[in-house]
Amino acid sequence: MSEERFAGKFDKREIDTKVREGIPFHHRWHNAFHFEMPFGLVNDPNGLSWFAGKYHIFFQWNPLGVEHKHKCWGHVETEDFVHYSLPELALWPSDVHDKDGCYSGAGFVEGDVLHLVYTCNRKEDGRRISAQRLASWQPEKGIAAKDEIIIEHEPQGYTAHFRDPSRFVKDGREFLVLGSQTEAEKGRAVLYEKKEGAWHFAGELKTELSDFGYMWECPTLLPLAEGDVLLFSPQGLPAGDYRWQNLYQSGYVAGRLDVDALEFQHGAFHELDRGFDFYAPQAFLHEGRAILFGWMGMPEREEEYPTAEEGWLFSLTMPRELRLQDGRLFSAPLEEMKAFRKGAPQKFGAVHAEEIGQMLAEKAEIELSLVLGDAQEAHIDIVYAEAGEYLRFSYDRRCAVMTLDRTAMKLGGRGMRRFRLAVRDTLKLHIYRDKTAIEVFFQDGEEAASFFVFPTKETASQLVVSADRKLEKIEGKAWELGGFEWKER
Ligand code: FRU
């Protein structure tokens, strides 16, 4: 019955054709090296994997509108993170199990098959039912074939907020980790282990975070050589002066996972990104690299994104490489991002200066280092002069606090974000400025921030560095960047 009910809603051929008509993009707000769709709503990266010589990037996508509804998976593939296949519809609600959404999940390769594992979302009389299912990628057809349901419902003691499976192997044993909520409404990660071909509930992952939000979404377990890392997106943490300032957070704990005891000994929870628009990241391992994509967006904040009126919402971040060092994850743009550079950089700088300016290309990468000298406060602004708008990063050395300030922008989300950042004498920013998506890496990747700005008109922009006293030295390099190249799969 439900096959029929949904047959007409998601027509792969029709949707794929409409995507082809919308790419390359024309609207001035569409980004060039941040993945997004010509229409619909994009959210979490899903199924990240390397298979048959290519990276595969799936993502949550509502192809039918800009609301959080009709969740499907879209797909693109790339060999180099510059040339991408035209995105296609890969997985969509088609039967009783996933009729209310093919929710987030992961990918893993076994032999010559790329397996996907995802949450089937279904509502019956207002009641949520979350089942976990396998699917296998069919490269010739560009769709994921649905396989069996492997977990029919949540384990006892948990609510139906039970989703986002991701697979890992530790000590030769195979596990799924899932985001969940206890009946007492506490966020948790739970584990299933594969034994004799079937997945069995192993138990809750024991951590020190027993009262840490009401739901954990999108967990990923990364067994790295330097230690184990659990990435997850907790909901319900109260905002503080220097932390947890978005509606929902994304971060990690690092330490050692004991799979016999299901115990994770770990250090403090750290946020992965301090920007306004970052949530539900996913990472995977390939050839010694831990590669992460985040969703650039925030649930329940759709009114902050003016592109909705143009028919699309949200992007993915650039791919980042994660490195674990002394219990902290450092993130850096993937090496491949250098291929977007057009020619040699423009160098700029000054010694003993209070202010300098540098014109920026509309797609630009900037490496900036400021030797603070006597200055206590430094500002780095991106100024959209003709629109009378600017974006500001302010560093206050007295309290070691970085502030991101979007209050001088007229459209979209505004406000500020603050976080602590230790700087001895040199403040370093690595800025990627796409048409509306901005990503910044601070102090060689100790912190990162992703967010959008929507200038009211097409205008040239300038980078302006200023300080309360003379900066000892300003050194900068700015590249003009290109964007994705699209091709047939
Ligand atoms: C995170 C999330 C996931 C869920 C998906 C649905 O943004 O809420 O927990 O699987 O989005 O689109």
Side-chain angles (χ1 to χ4, degrees):
M1 87 197 201
S2 47
E3 284 282 356
E4 232 167 275
R5 221 168 99 202
F6 291 95
K9 226 177 200 176
F10 304 98
D11 182 329
K12 176 172 163 66
R13 195 127 46 105
E14 198 179 292
I15 291 174
D16 290 350
T17 305
K18 197 172 157 199
V19 171
R20 276 176 169 66
E21 287 163 7
I23 292 181
F25 303 120
H26 296 297
H27 197 283
R28 70 185 177 90
W29 281 337
H30 256 307
N31 287 297
F33 56 92
H34 283 82
F35 178 78
E36 52 197 32
M37 290 299 271
F39 57 90
L41 179 152
V42 167
N43 57 303
D44 318 356
N46 289 159
L48 301 179
S49 44
W50 190 85
F51 171 68
K54 288 178 180 137
Y55 295 98
H56 294 262
I57 302 159
F58 297 85
F59 51 92
Q60 287 283 284
W61 182 36
N62 171 7
L64 306 182
V66 287
E67 304 84 38
H68 280 282
K69 276 187 188 165
H70 311 301
K71 292 300 174 74
C72 300
W73 284 31
H75 168 264
V76 279
E77 55 189 42
T78 176
E79 281 170 43
D80 55 10
F81 296 102
V82 173
H83 299 83
Y84 280 83
S85 63
L86 286 162
E88 289 182 27
L89 185 65
L91 178 68
W92 58 91
S94 67
D95 66 15
V96 66
H97 300 287
D98 59 17
K99 70 183 179 65
D100 295 303
C102 298
Y103 275 14
S104 284
F108 59 96
V109 177
E110 251 172 10
D112 54 6
V113 181
L114 168 55
H115 296 281
L116 304 169
V117 55
Y118 74 101
T119 299
C120 296
N121 182 46
R122 157 186 176 200
K123 292 206 176 109
E124 296 298 349
D125 305 323
R127 194 168 67 95
R128 181 192 289 267
I129 302 165
S130 301
Q132 320 302 325
R133 180 188 244 169
L134 287 174
S136 23
W137 180 239
Q138 300 197 304
E140 6 24 269
K141 295 188 185 151
I143 59 168
K146 293 180 185 178
D147 301 325
E148 75 273 20
I149 301 279
I150 50 168
I151 305 173
E152 281 176 21
H153 51 75
E154 68 279 5
Q156 219 183 356
Y158 298 82
T159 74
H161 286 288
F162 172 61
R163 54 180 171 266
D164 311 337
S166 134
R167 181 255 203 187
F168 67 96
V169 176
K170 171 93 181 163
D171 302 340
R173 293 159 63 178
E174 204 179 333
F175 294 91
L176 291 178
V177 57
L178 285 111
S180 66
Q181 180 184 58
T182 64
E183 280 173 350
E185 298 192 3
K186 303 288 176 205
R188 290 289 187 273
V190 295
L191 299 180
Y192 282 71
E193 184 172 4
K194 191 172 176 188
K195 286 185 182 159
E196 287 150 18
W199 293 94
H200 300 277
F201 180 55
E204 186 174 299
L205 181 66
K206 297 185 196 93
T207 69
E208 283 158 36
L209 305 173
S210 52
D211 191 7
F212 203 69
Y214 58 79
M215 170 67 191
W216 292 4
E217 295 191 311
C218 302
T220 303
L221 203 301
L222 296 173
L224 304 176
E226 302 75 22
D228 299 314
V229 175
L230 175 70
L231 308 178
F232 63 109
S233 295
Q235 300 184 307
L237 302 180
D241 290 341
Y242 305 114
R243 64 180 193 183
W244 308 347
Q245 299 190 331
N246 288 328
L247 176 61
Y248 301 136
Q249 324 309 320
S250 298
Y252 66 94
V253 289
R256 285 270 160 221
L257 168 66
D258 174 342
V259 286
D260 290 316
L262 298 187
E263 197 170 321
F264 198 163
Q265 296 209 330
H266 59 84
F269 174 83
H270 294 286
E271 284 169 76
L272 270 165
D273 191 287
R274 307 296 193 143
F276 301 86
D277 307 300
F278 183 91
Y279 190 63
Q282 185 179 93
F284 71 109
L285 301 173
H286 177 60
E287 288 184 344
R289 296 199 292 185
I291 301 175
L292 174 136
F293 278 89
W295 166 31
M296 282 191 73
M298 190 55 60
E300 295 155 54
R301 289 283 179 272
E302 290 77 39
E303 72 284 357
E304 296 193 357
Y305 304 86
T307 63
E309 282 161 39
E310 309 294 330
W312 87 90
L313 270 177
F314 309 129
S315 314
L316 300 185
T317 62
M318 302 186 297
R320 296 181 183 172
E321 185 173 348
L322 302 176
R323 190 167 46 83
L324 184 64
Q325 197 184 311
D326 303 325
R328 292 295 301 266
L329 278 182
F330 284 68
S331 49
L334 218 62
E335 183 68 18
E336 284 88 333
M337 300 299 98
K338 288 186 179 153
F340 289 121
R341 293 174 177 172
K342 287 187 171 175
Q346 277 205 339
K347 294 189 178 160
F348 59 98
V351 283
H352 298 292
E354 256 164 49
E355 180 166 328
I356 68 162
Q358 165 73 26
M359 290 311 292
L360 291 179
E362 68 168 359
K363 291 169 293 178
E365 176 188 349
I366 306 119
E367 276 178 8
L368 189 63
S369 87
L370 310 181
V371 183
L372 297 172
D374 292 333
Q376 295 300 312
E377 228 182 284
H379 305 292
I380 297 106
D381 299 341
I382 296 182
V383 181
Y384 307 94
E386 275 170 63
E389 295 167 304
Y390 64 90
L391 163 74
R392 168 162 279 196
F393 304 92
S394 295
Y395 186 66
D396 187 335
R397 214 175 177 185
R398 291 160 296 223
C399 48
V401 169
M402 176 60 78
T403 304
L404 291 187
D405 186 348
R406 268 193 322 191
T407 51
M409 300 302 297
K410 292 170 192 152
L411 291 175
R414 300 166 80 196
M416 301 200 214
R417 294 291 180 265
R418 291 201 169 85
F419 58 93
R420 293 210 184 268
L421 185 72
V423 175
R424 274 172 73 101
D425 23 61
T426 308
L427 172 64
K428 291 193 204 168
L429 271 71
H430 189 178
I431 305 174
Y432 283 81
R433 190 237 151 153
D434 205 335
K435 307 258 269 199
T436 54
I438 297 190
E439 289 188 64
V440 186
F441 299 87
F442 302 87
Q443 303 306 95
D444 300 313
E446 246 180 78
E447 298 287 354
S450 309
F451 54 96
F452 292 102
V453 288
F454 301 98
T456 44
K457 44 169 139 162
E458 197 140 13
T459 137
S461 70
Q462 202 186 8
L463 183 80
V464 177
V465 177
S466 61
D468 60 341
R469 295 200 205 126
K470 284 194 165 63
L471 292 159
E472 198 173 302
K473 195 170 173 194
I474 303 170
E475 251 180 326
K477 279 186 199 168
W479 287 266
E480 182 181 354
L481 300 186
F484 295 149
E485 308 272 345
W486 301 99
K487 55 175 193 187
E488 292 293 327
R489 181 168 54 84

